[in-house]
């Protein structure tokens, strides 16, 4: 707590910002008085999965533009021990795809909540759908020309 206010922290990559990101941030907002949102840096993301489509500078500005966070900060590590201590975090909210990963924060007196994303939308799913739709568009575009014309070399 800070000045009697319950501090909630949530974080993520927030690549290709979508409705499940918004739902998690809204949910986190409702759990306390002060909401801090951490946005994973490009370097951090690259350490555990493929690089984000949207650069860090743009992703953090998108999160800052939302009405729910009070503070938006860069997140450079997946270890939140120091952050919990320095920011007096009472509640930690993360997507349920990380279930169990942050249980160690409970030992520091933090309520850990794994937000249920469900089977809905995700950045990874969006990326796959974009690639699939693009491939279909290319296939359709390629059929607009007769087979005896080599349009790719002109």
């Amino acid at each position: 707590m800070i000045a009697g206010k319950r501090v909630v922290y949530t974080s993520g990559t927030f690549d290709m910002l979508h409705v499940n990101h918004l739902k998690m941030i809204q949910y986190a907002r409702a759990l306390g008085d002060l909401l801090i949102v951490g946005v994973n840096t490009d370097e951090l993301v690259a350490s555990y999965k493929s690089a984000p489509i949207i650069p860090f500078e743009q992703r953090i500005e998108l999160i800052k533009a939302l009405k729910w966070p009070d503070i938006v900060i860069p997140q450079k590590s997946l270890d939140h021990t120091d952050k919990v201590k320095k920011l007096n975090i009472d509640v930690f909210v993360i997507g349920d795809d990380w279930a169990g990963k942050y249980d160690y924060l409970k030992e520091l007196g933090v309520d850990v909540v794994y937000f249920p994303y469900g089977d809905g939308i995700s950045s990874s799913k969006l990326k796959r759908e974009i690639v699939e739709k693009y491939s279909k568009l290319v296939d359709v575009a390629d059929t607009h020309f007769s087979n005896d014309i080599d349009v790719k070399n002109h």
Side-chain angles (χ1 to χ4, degrees), residues 122-134:
S122 72
S123 296
S124 298
K125 185 176 178 182
L126 276 174
K127 290 173 190 177
R128 281 192 303 274
E129 288 176 3
I130 289 168
V131 168
E132 289 170 11
K133 287 179 182 180
Y134 176 76

Side-chain angles (χ1 to χ4, degrees), residues 13-110:
T13 302
F14 304 113
D15 193 20
M16 301 179 70
L17 190 63
H18 56 72
V19 70
N20 277 346
H21 291 142
L22 298 178
K23 287 177 183 178
M24 185 178 74
I25 292 170
Q26 283 180 288
Y27 177 80
R29 166 83 262 169
L31 295 178
D33 304 303
L34 179 69
L35 177 61
I36 303 170
V37 178
V39 179
N40 297 350
T41 63
D42 291 340
E43 295 79 16
L44 175 59
V45 176
S47 75
Y48 66 91
K49 67 178 183 178
S50 62
I53 299 293
I54 310 297
F56 170 75
E57 294 78 13
Q58 293 178 30
R59 291 184 287 113
I60 199 165
E61 289 303 318
L62 287 168
I63 300 303
K64 285 179 182 178
L66 298 176
K67 65 181 179 180
W68 305 288
D70 295 298
I71 301 169
V72 179
I73 61 173
Q75 179 167 279
K76 298 178 181 180
S77 171
L78 294 178
D79 182 352
H80 298 297
T81 304
D82 286 342
K83 210 174 291 114
V84 162
K85 293 175 183 175
K86 289 178 182 176
L87 300 175
N88 297 305
I89 295 169
D90 300 299
V91 182
F92 181 85
V93 179
I94 192 78
D96 64 357
D97 51 334
W98 292 87
K101 171 82 174 160
Y102 294 103
D103 286 351
Y104 69 92
L105 295 175
K106 294 176 184 178
E107 297 171 17
L108 300 173
V110 176

